[in-house]
Amino acid sequence: MDICKAHENASKCSVNTMKCFLVLSTQAQKISIATLCGLFGTLCIFENSLVLYLIFSSPGTRRKPSYIFISSLALADILASIIFVCSFVNFHVFNEIDFSKETFLLQLGGVNTSFSASLSSLLLTALDRYISISRPSEYKLLMTRKRAWIALVVLWVTCATIASLPLLGWNCCTLNSTCSELFPFVDDNYLSIWICFIMVLLVCIIYAYTHVLWRAHQHVAYMEKCQVQVGRQNTRMRMDVMLAKTLVMVLTVLVLCWSPILVLMIYSIFARLSNHLRKVFAFCSTLCLLNSMVNPIIYALRSKELYSSLRMVFSRFRRQLKASEESPEVESTHKSSMIET
């Protein structure tokens, strides 16, 4: 690895220097990464696919802007899990480095697009809830289906454009600039811009949800003070408390999953990383996959409408399973009666 650190920027653009980024040195580390990626990736694809099915199987949910944003979130998380797991495991576990610079940057662009779109979908969901609680009387006028779809198109195009910049020429090989120590062929200045983009998304999400939490707290305090229409108020209070708990979970998971890799990325721009920190970064990268796995549980399955749809799906599946188990018995009884006749 010391030899790799001694290379000049020009030498870092050769395919052979990809070996310098293979930071997992033991079989136990590779098995751990493969296990984490396999577990998180499989659950992420299953959960988010279930969310998409529940939303689009119900005409009432697929037309609402809030569920349109959740659909975008689920789709982004599915793409992120597929692209990230395949590329990450192939590179770090199976040490597949026999591909061109363009192929690697294309894979990296796919991962960046998916995770950026996931965070951007979280931001749109946060803004949707921010408008619903801050301007409830104007919500239906402000948040229409047309505006929701326009926002999603702008979101995905922006994320794809920013993620494609290294492939389009903003890389340290084309510019002969300083290369990142965490990603092959990636320019440090581009990495700084991408970090700023992600940080802006996270700050906006945290601000929106903090405002929603504050408004929910105000409402609960008001209802505790004014004991009028106790039944309706208790119901509304339970809804606000549940909303507050959900938003606390959202912010906690978001910060815990994204802060480690962002801190290491920022540190890599200003200082040289040790081998140990690069291994830590590889393991922390799986936390983004964990975030994509937890998103459907927090955003979708805690929804009353989607939870009811999920219960209906399971009850329908149980009825079909029970019917399939009973049908052979019915058929055998019918055959025996025919023989007797």
Side-chain angles (χ1 to χ4, degrees), residues 140-191:
K140 290 186 177 180
L141 295 176
L142 294 174
M143 192 59 67
T144 61
R145 288 185 62 199
K146 182 179 179 180
R147 290 181 178 179
W149 282 110
I150 291 175
L152 283 182
V153 171
V154 172
L155 175 157
W156 280 89
V157 170
T158 302
C159 292
T161 302
I162 294 176
S164 302
L165 291 177
L167 184 62
L168 297 176
W170 192 354
N171 56 74
C172 59
C173 302
T174 304
L175 302 176
N176 195 22
S177 55
T178 305
C179 294
S180 170
E181 292 187 354
L182 293 174
F183 306 100
F185 315 126
V186 173
D187 178 62
D188 261 348
N189 292 327
Y190 168 79
L191 184 60

Side-chain angles (χ1 to χ4, degrees), residues 52-335:
L52 288 177
Y53 172 78
L54 293 176
I55 291 176
F56 286 97
S57 62
S58 173
T61 55
R62 65 170 176 256
R63 294 175 181 173
K64 294 182 179 179
S66 57
Y67 289 107
I68 293 175
F69 297 147
I70 292 177
S71 301
S72 173
L73 173 64
L75 177 61
D77 287 336
I78 290 174
L79 293 177
S81 61
I82 294 174
I83 302 173
F84 176 83
V85 169
C86 292
S87 58
F88 198 77
V89 170
N90 281 337
F91 185 78
H92 284 289
V93 177
F94 298 109
N95 297 339
E96 293 288 340
I97 59 174
D98 297 330
F99 45 80
S100 64
K101 176 191 70 176
E102 290 73 18
T103 302
F104 176 82
L105 292 178
L106 180 62
Q107 293 177 357
L108 184 63
V111 173
N112 287 346
T113 299
S114 303
F115 281 125
S116 301
S118 177
L119 281 179
S120 300
S121 299
L122 291 181
L123 175 59
L124 290 181
T125 305
L127 292 176
D128 175 75
R129 295 182 179 179
Y130 175 86
I131 294 173
S132 68
I133 197 169
S134 61
R135 305 174 72 175
S137 60
E138 304 175 24
Y139 172 76
K140 290 186 177 180
L141 295 176
L142 294 174
M143 192 59 67
T144 61
R145 288 185 62 199
K146 182 179 179 180
R147 290 181 178 179
W149 282 110
I150 291 175
L152 283 182
V153 171
V154 172
L155 175 157
W156 280 89
V157 170
T158 302
C159 292
T161 302
I162 294 176
S164 302
L165 291 177
L167 184 62
L168 297 176
W170 192 354
N171 56 74
C172 59
C173 302
T174 304
L175 302 176
N176 195 22
S177 55
T178 305
C179 294
S180 170
E181 292 187 354
L182 293 174
F183 306 100
F185 315 126
V186 173
D187 178 62
D188 261 348
N189 292 327
Y190 168 79
L191 184 60
S192 302
I193 296 298
W194 190 81
I195 291 172
C196 292
F197 174 62
I198 297 299
M199 292 289 289
V200 168
L201 292 178
L202 290 174
V203 169
C204 291
I205 293 171
I206 292 172
Y207 172 80
Y209 278 142
T210 303
H211 183 81
V212 172
L213 278 172
W214 178 66
R215 291 297 295 267
H217 173 73
Q218 275 190 328
H219 190 72
V220 171
Y222 173 78
M223 288 189 298
E224 288 176 346
K225 184 179 179 180
C226 305
Q227 295 297 326
V228 183
Q229 297 179 347
V230 178
R232 289 181 59 189
Q233 287 189 352
N234 287 340
T235 302
R236 185 62 183 270
M237 188 183 300
R238 286 195 297 269
M239 290 174 61
D240 286 337
V241 170
M242 184 177 178
L243 173 64
K245 290 180 179 178
T246 301
L247 298 184
V248 168
M249 290 172 57
V250 167
L251 297 180
T252 302
V253 170
L254 200 62
V255 171
L256 289 179
C257 290
W258 278 93
S259 57
I261 65 164
L262 289 176
V263 169
L264 288 174
M265 283 182 185
I266 295 172
Y267 181 77
S268 71
I269 295 174
F270 299 100
R272 186 173 294 278
L273 295 178
S274 64
N275 295 344
H276 177 69
L277 285 179
R278 295 169 78 177
K279 291 179 183 179
V280 171
F281 179 79
F283 279 92
C284 288
S285 298
T286 60
L287 291 177
C288 298
L289 196 60
L290 176 64
N291 186 35
S292 296
M293 185 195 76
V294 176
N295 279 339
I297 299 175
I298 297 177
Y299 284 87
L301 298 184
R302 286 178 68 88
S303 165
K304 189 175 181 180
E305 293 175 292
L306 292 185
Y307 183 71
S308 300
S309 300
L310 181 63
R311 291 184 62 181
M312 290 177 59
V313 169
F314 277 124
S315 61
R316 193 185 312 130
F317 176 75
R318 288 177 61 184
R319 287 196 301 268
Q320 291 177 353
L321 186 64
K322 189 176 180 180
S324 63
E325 290 177 352
E326 292 177 353
S327 59
E329 299 178 3
V330 175
E331 186 177 353
S332 61
T333 305
H334 177 69
K335 286 182 178 178

